[in-house]
Amino acid sequence: MNEFRKMLLNDDYIKWLAKFLEEYGKFDDLYFVHNHHLNLSQNDLMMIEYLGQLMKELNRYVVKKNMYYETLFSYSLLYQDEIYVLEYDNEGYSVTKCSGNESKLPCIEYSEFKKSLVENMQINFDLLRERIVDSLKHTDLEFIRNELSKLLEPTVFCGVGGSSVVSEFAAKVINQKNGVLTVNSEPRDFIYRNNDSFRNVVACSYSGNHYGIEMSFSNDLKKYLLSSHLFDDANVTYLNYITTIAKEQSFISLGTTLIPVSILMDYYLKGNNHLMLDLIEKKGFSFDTKSNIYEIFSGYDTSAASKYLETTMVESGIGIPIVHDKYDYCHGRSTLNRNYDGIAVYYNRNTEFDKMLLEELKRYYRTIVVIDSKFQDQILDDYQMLIQSMYLTKYIAEKKSMDLSAVNFSPMVKRLYKYYGEI
């Protein structure tokens, strides 16, 4: 992702534009670039040269939104109740601030314009590592580490959608690090299961305020919320992570999944995060995606990665996933490949069993996608396999000309998401 788009998403460029106009009034790019006697900073000169890039992005926006303009060389941009008119002629680009009744051009709201920049899968993947670094920098990691270290009795974790990946990973981290019994649950489980054997509940949610949180907190357990939001409830310990980069606009959770998972990794690694950050890199795949059926071979040691893959395939519609526990597959589940030409996705931990099963699968599956182990430590390995799985879903989506950030979801989603009745 280029630096200019990052500036647009963070409001850095529009804020600079507003400040510059306050000082100089109307300006054009050629005058300031070629008349250095004004002693402008190198940053100002760079920002002025970006006017052409801003015009190109506005061009793309009006075409995408089918907005009617008499010309593609003049736009009116609304930001924080101020209107900025951008124009282009043979001499270059210019900008003027004006009142609402002065501009005769249709007005583009900056917030809506910005959304169009992030409804793109590539941009969100390009920002993945930067979002993690940003959150690790601005979050009170010492506080979260301290609170997580107090989970010394049986603890149940809960999350839905992309947050179910977080809760799955959290349960494993606390089990391995603290040596206590942990379970990952769906919110509805709390209604039907006897929860008396647990002492703590940790809910994982980016927003922190949906019905699933209420269900997981409708008990006498000590309550924790791992979220990017804080609420005024003295009965809840907030494990709040912070981001300063513009919110990810995406139907499928990428950064909003990997950020809290990385916060948990920080606890597991005792703050030694260089290894973790080195794992956030692009992964390449190459296979035929003609089949829509994906048989996923996983287990407890790779459960967060496979949960992301299964959840994302279902929510985005890029494939029909079937998750097999590797050993369970040996007890009859192998019949499926006799009737359907599915693609096998195998999380390979390099055990003797993995080697045997992979060799056997080659006789029955035309395509086997192997996500290889890099660490003996199962927590580190699940983390890096989760990242590989994210890039796997990106590859499949691209091959199908789909965008994980702008999914054509079912009309029932909004109604079901807001349900608050008997369950």
Side-chain angles (χ1 to χ4, degrees):
M1 180 181 183
N2 64 51
E3 289 299 319
F4 179 63
R5 277 204 166 192
K6 293 178 185 177
M7 284 188 246
L8 291 177
L9 290 171
N10 293 333
D11 291 5
D12 291 340
Y13 189 77
I14 193 69
K15 288 177 180 177
W16 169 86
L17 189 64
K19 182 178 179 181
F20 197 83
L21 282 171
E22 284 293 327
E23 186 170 354
Y24 294 104
K26 177 178 179 177
F27 72 91
D28 65 82
D29 61 331
L30 293 180
Y31 178 81
F32 282 99
V33 170
H34 295 298
N35 292 270
H36 291 233
H37 61 274
L38 288 176
N39 296 319
L40 294 179
S41 68
Q42 288 299 312
N43 183 66
D44 283 340
L45 292 172
M46 178 188 70
M47 293 294 211
I48 291 167
E49 290 180 334
Y50 275 143
L51 281 176
Q53 292 293 322
L54 177 57
M55 189 66 79
K56 289 179 182 178
E57 295 291 354
L58 290 169
N59 284 343
R60 293 191 187 100
Y61 177 77
V62 298
V63 171
K64 181 178 180 180
K65 296 296 183 180
N66 294 317
M67 297 176 68
Y68 174 74
Y69 274 75
E70 293 183 359
T71 173
L72 288 178
F73 304 112
S74 298
Y75 295 117
S76 180
L77 191 61
L78 174 64
Y79 177 73
Q80 293 186 349
D81 299 324
E82 299 285 357
I83 293 178
Y84 302 91
V85 176
L86 294 89
E87 298 179 286
Y88 173 77
D89 57 29
N90 292 331
E91 295 184 356
Y93 300 95
S94 64
V95 187
T96 309
K97 187 168 74 172
C98 66
S99 60
N101 57 5
E102 291 178 354
S103 176
K104 297 180 181 180
L105 297 168
C107 201
I108 299 171
E109 290 192 16
Y110 188 79
S111 59
E112 293 301 313
F113 165 61
K114 193 166 68 169
K115 286 180 182 178
S116 74
L117 298 174
V118 294
E119 288 179 351
N120 180 283
M121 181 169 58
Q122 184 61 53
I123 294 172
N124 286 327
F125 271 93
D126 288 345
L127 277 171
L128 257 183
R129 190 180 191 280
E130 188 172 342
R131 290 187 191 279
I132 305 308
V133 172
D134 173 75
S135 186
L136 292 173
K137 178 181 178 181
H138 293 95
T139 298
D140 188 346
L141 298 173
E142 186 175 348
F143 172 80
I144 292 179
R145 288 187 213 123
N146 184 56
E147 291 301 323
L148 291 176
S149 70
K150 297 176 183 177
L151 299 175
L152 299 175
E153 296 181 286
T155 303
V156 59
F157 293 79
C158 179
V160 293
S163 293
S164 68
V165 181
V166 181
S167 59
E168 178 71 19
F169 192 77
K172 293 172 62 173
V173 166
I174 298 305
N175 172 261
Q176 290 292 312
K177 180 86 170 174
N178 295 15
V180 298
L181 176 65
T182 61
V183 173
N184 183 34
S185 292
E186 296 287 342
R188 194 168 174 269
D189 295 350
F190 286 87
I191 297 173
Y192 297 97
R193 181 186 57 215
N194 185 325
N195 300 297
D196 291 344
S197 59
F198 298 106
R199 294 295 177 265
N200 310 300
V201 54
V202 180
C204 304
S205 170
Y206 178 81
S207 65
N209 61 354
H210 56 73
Y211 193 27
I213 303 299
E214 290 188 19
M215 284 187 281
S216 61
F217 282 175
S218 59
N219 48 61
D220 295 327
L221 304 180
K222 182 170 175 54
K223 301 168 180 60
Y224 296 82
L225 178 63
L226 177 62
S227 176
S228 66
H229 293 80
L230 289 169
F231 302 93
D232 188 16
D233 188 339
N235 295 317
V236 178
T237 299
Y238 292 98
L239 308 175
N240 179 235
Y241 53 89
I242 297 172
T243 61
T244 64
I245 297 176
K247 180 184 175 182
E248 180 180 65
Q249 300 292 328
S250 177
F251 188 79
I252 298 300
S253 302
L254 295 170
T256 50
T257 294
L258 196 57
I259 288 172
V261 165
S262 299
I263 297 296
L264 293 160
M265 274 297 292
D266 169 82
Y267 170 63
Y268 185 74
L269 295 173
K270 300 179 181 179
N272 299 315
N273 295 322
H274 295 295
L275 176 59
M276 171 175 62
L277 294 174
D278 288 342
L279 297 174
I280 308 172
E281 59 182 4
K282 182 178 180 180
K283 315 293 180 182
F285 293 92
S286 179
F287 62 91
D288 186 351
T289 60
K290 185 177 181 180
S291 176
N292 290 320
I293 299 173
Y294 291 82
E295 295 190 53
I296 302 165
F297 294 78
S298 185
Y300 179 83
D301 49 343
T302 57
S303 60
S306 59
K307 182 174 281 290
Y308 165 83
L309 185 57
E310 188 271 344
T311 298
T312 299
M313 282 189 167
V314 171
E315 292 188 2
S316 66
I318 62 172
I320 302 170
I322 302 158
V323 181
H324 302 297
D325 176 86
K326 294 173 186 176
Y327 182 70
D328 199 27
Y329 183 79
C330 302
H331 287 251
R333 293 177 70 92
S334 55
T335 307
L336 197 63
N337 69 70
R338 299 292 298 269
N339 299 308
Y340 301 95
D341 186 20
I343 295 171
V345 179
Y346 197 96
Y347 289 96
N348 178 27
R349 292 272 289 151
N350 290 322
T351 66
E352 183 179 346
F353 178 69
D354 286 321
K355 294 172 184 176
M356 181 276 295
L357 187 53
L358 270 172
E359 194 62 34
E360 192 69 19
L361 293 180
K362 291 177 183 178
R363 300 169 54 191
Y364 300 99
Y365 293 86
R366 286 192 292 180
T367 302
I368 302 176
V369 180
V370 180
I371 297 180
D372 282 316
S373 172
K374 291 184 178 180
F375 303 96
Q376 187 173 1
D377 185 299
Q378 65 166 295
I379 301 297
L380 273 170
D381 224 21
D382 205 7
Y383 183 83
Q384 68 91 14
M385 286 182 169
L386 169 60
I387 295 169
Q388 288 194 59
S389 300
M390 288 182 167
Y391 280 96
L392 174 57
T393 56
K394 178 178 182 288
Y395 173 79
I396 297 170
E398 288 174 337
K399 294 288 284 186
K400 294 180 178 293
S401 299
M402 297 172 70
D403 188 335
L404 297 176
S405 301
V407 171
N408 185 23
F409 56 83
S410 169
M412 72 172 70
V413 166
K414 291 184 178 180
R415 180 179 180 183
L416 296 179
Y417 184 85
K418 295 179 180 179
Y419 179 79
Y420 268 78
E422 183 183 2
I423 199 167

